[in-house]
Amino acid sequence: MSGIPSTSDSVTLDSASTLGRIAFEPVETIAFWSAVALPLVYLPLLAGGFESGQFTLFIGLIALHVAMLALGRGHGQE
């Protein structure tokens, strides 16, 4: 064995990579637009002040926003 991948291995890897990109693209798009829209949800919470349990909701929204920013960061860069 020479350690050089065969042509069929390269084709398989290319196909898997393409399928992965095709499968991830909608997730990336949804994450990007969610990250754009999520700050609109903050406004009523911030304007009305935090009542019982809303601070936890606010922290959860911040965590969700960070996750959406991370997942959607590559949207539109192809």
Side-chain angles (χ1 to χ4, degrees):
M1 298 243 154
S2 65
I4 299 172
S6 69
T7 305
S8 65
D9 289 343
S10 293
V11 170
T12 303
L13 288 174
D14 288 342
S15 297
S17 176
T18 302
L19 282 173
R21 272 182 288 177
I22 290 171
F24 184 67
E25 191 172 318
V27 172
E28 191 174 52
T29 302
I30 291 168
F32 174 82
W33 287 108
S34 295
V36 169
L38 269 172
L40 296 175
V41 178
Y42 302 162
L43 295 176
L45 287 173
L46 293 173
F50 294 117
E51 296 174 7
S52 64
Q54 286 185 336
F55 184 72
T56 310
L57 174 65
F58 183 72
I59 296 300
L61 284 172
I62 295 289
L64 180 63
H65 194 187
V66 169
M68 293 300 107
L69 285 170
L71 283 173
R73 74 179 183 269
H75 175 69
Q77 294 183 2
E78 291 83 43

